[in-house]
Amino acid sequence: MSYDENNIFARILRGEIPCDKVHENDHALAFRDIAPKAPTHVLVIPKGRYGTLHEFAEKGSDTELAAWVRAMAAVAQAEGVVEDGYRTTCNNGRHGNQEVPHLHMHIVGGRQLGSAPRG
């Protein structure tokens, strides 16, 4: 999946499209999903030009990777879903049903969620 400079998340990062920001650090931005699947549904994106998790793991700096993971933990804490639990989902590529070609993690919680793959 090639990176599209005009994808919606790139446009949000450039300030061209507003978002309901939940958290931000030097390397990540978190904002509410526009079509939430649960009371808490927040997207956490790196600020760099990374299309997939694989690309970010290969090319992202240790600082960027740590900041992204810490942003996810900060969102879960701020949203009050740590104690009861939450789901993280990252769709990658065509077969993973990734819709926006900018890496993003879904933080979903706030209620009992349906079944997920075990493991």
Side-chain angles (χ1 to χ4, degrees):
M1 176 174 279
S2 62
Y3 191 81
D4 174 5
E5 289 289 341
N6 289 312
N7 76 70
I8 190 165
F9 297 159
R11 295 181 68 203
I12 287 171
L13 286 168
R14 289 194 301 264
E16 297 171 6
I17 296 175
C19 70
D20 185 359
K21 183 171 36 173
V22 174
H23 178 82
E24 184 172 15
N25 64 34
D26 289 343
H27 300 285
L29 175 66
F31 51 90
R32 297 196 188 286
D33 193 292
I34 62 169
K37 306 297 186 223
T40 292
H41 191 163
V42 176
L43 302 176
V44 184
I45 65 173
K47 290 184 176 179
R49 299 177 62 238
Y50 302 106
T52 64
L53 181 60
H54 187 81
E55 180 181 12
F56 190 39
E58 279 189 336
K59 298 177 182 176
S61 70
D62 291 346
T63 301
E64 289 174 299
L65 290 159
W68 188 58
V69 171
R70 287 190 175 115
M72 287 184 259
V75 165
Q77 184 71 40
E79 292 292 306
V81 296
V82 172
E83 186 174 326
D84 289 333
Y86 58 96
R87 181 173 295 157
T88 57
T89 306
C90 183
N91 301 326
N92 284 278
R94 184 171 49 94
H95 286 190
N97 294 323
Q98 184 177 359
E99 294 179 7
V100 178
H102 186 109
L103 173 60
H104 55 287
M105 184 72 73
H106 297 257
I107 309 291
V108 182
R111 67 166 170 79
Q112 180 65 47
L113 301 172
S115 61
R118 299 212 177 248

